[in-house]
């Protein structure tokens, strides 16, 4: 479950994580805005973008970015934006919904939004959506589900894989009965 304290960490299980994505979808849908393309930021926005793409039946594009590399991914450095966007056809154009899991400092969403508008002249607008918006951010997303007045570390359910090795999973799978 999601638990937030003044500066305490937030722990999110799979069920809550999916409910939060669904709540974000409802917010976007109720806005009445229509989008031509869903663009998610890898890695945190991948699951969010995948669900949005399926529910809205829109093509999904993926852009890799990185800023949390230090201290096992807990310390933010300079923003790096991949040279290419992965998508099945065409190029980004029209109205784009840019998705990520959260906005922390604001550097990533702000930097990517500016990069997209500079690099892709066929883009008419970029709107942003996240699950968690930390008010310490310098960038306010257009859509968000939870507004956090503190700056907690958010432990998402897929982070369990950050500390697992293939061998760990081999050992774990040996405990499962075979059919």
């Amino acid at each position: 479950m999601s638990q937030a304290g003044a500066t305490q960490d937030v722990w999110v299980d799979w069920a809550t994580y999916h409910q939060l994505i669904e709540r974000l979808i409802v917010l976007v849908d109720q806005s009445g805005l229509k989008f031509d393309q869903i663009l998610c930021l890898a890695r945190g926005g991948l699951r969010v973008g995948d669900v949005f793409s399926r529910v809205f039946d829109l093509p999904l594009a993926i852009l890799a970015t990185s800023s949390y590399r230090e201290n096992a991914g807990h310390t933010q450095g300079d923003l790096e934006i991949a040279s290419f966007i992965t998508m099945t056809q065409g190029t980004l154009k029209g109205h784009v919904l840019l998705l990520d899991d959260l906005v922390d400092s604001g550097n990533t969403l702000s930097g990517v939004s500016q990069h997209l508008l500079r690099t892709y002249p066929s883009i008419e607008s970029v709107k942003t959506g996240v699950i968690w918006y930390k008010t310490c951010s310098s960038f306010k997303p257009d859509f968000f589900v939870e507004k956090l007045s503190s700056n907690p570390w958010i432990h998402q359910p897929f982070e369990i894989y950050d500390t697992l090795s293939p061998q760990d999973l081999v050992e774990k799978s040996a405990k499962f009965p075979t059919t």
Side-chain angles (χ1 to χ4, degrees):
M1 291 304 223
S2 178
Q3 306 161 347
T7 56
Q8 296 177 344
D9 289 2
V10 174
W11 296 86
V12 182
D13 63 24
W14 281 110
T16 302
Y17 182 74
H18 288 115
Q19 289 169 356
L20 291 167
I21 293 173
E22 291 170 3
R23 287 176 51 199
L24 184 59
I25 288 170
V26 169
L27 289 171
V28 170
D29 184 62
Q30 290 178 341
S31 77
L33 295 174
K34 301 297 180 203
F35 296 96
D36 302 301
Q37 186 80 52
I38 303 289
L39 173 63
C40 67
L41 298 181
R43 295 187 308 186
L46 284 170
R47 288 161 186 84
V48 179
D50 176 56
V51 177
F52 264 78
S53 174
R54 292 169 188 271
V55 171
F56 285 107
D57 194 24
L58 288 171
L60 178 64
I62 302 166
L63 176 61
T65 61
S66 178
S67 62
Y68 282 90
R69 291 174 299 281
E70 315 269 330
N71 189 20
H74 287 92
T75 303
Q76 189 173 32
D78 293 333
L79 174 63
E80 293 181 14
I81 301 173
S83 300
F84 301 100
I85 292 175
T86 301
M87 49 193 300
T88 56
Q89 55 185 287
T91 186
L92 285 180
K93 61 184 175 187
H95 303 283
V96 175
L97 179 59
L98 174 61
L99 297 169
D100 204 355
D101 53 352
L102 62 94
V103 61
D104 194 358
S105 69
N107 294 341
T108 300
L109 280 181
S110 175
V112 170
S113 295
Q114 292 170 24
H115 168 78
L116 293 173
L117 292 169
R118 265 192 327 265
T119 309
Y120 297 91
S122 297
I123 292 178
E124 295 175 43
S125 69
V126 175
K127 297 292 183 187
T128 56
V130 298
I131 296 171
W132 297 280
Y133 162 47
K134 296 181 181 181
T135 58
C136 61
S137 171
S138 63
F139 183 90
K140 183 177 181 183
D142 298 292
F143 304 99
F144 57 89
V145 178
E146 291 189 352
K147 183 177 182 178
L148 304 172
S149 59
S150 63
N151 187 15
W153 185 261
I154 300 170
H155 297 271
Q156 299 184 53
F158 46 83
E159 288 179 1
I160 62 166
Y161 298 106
D162 289 345
T163 58
L164 290 176
S165 68
Q167 185 58 39
D168 294 332
L169 295 176
V170 167
E171 292 168 12
K172 180 179 177 182
S173 68
K175 298 175 186 173
F176 296 133
T178 57
T179 55

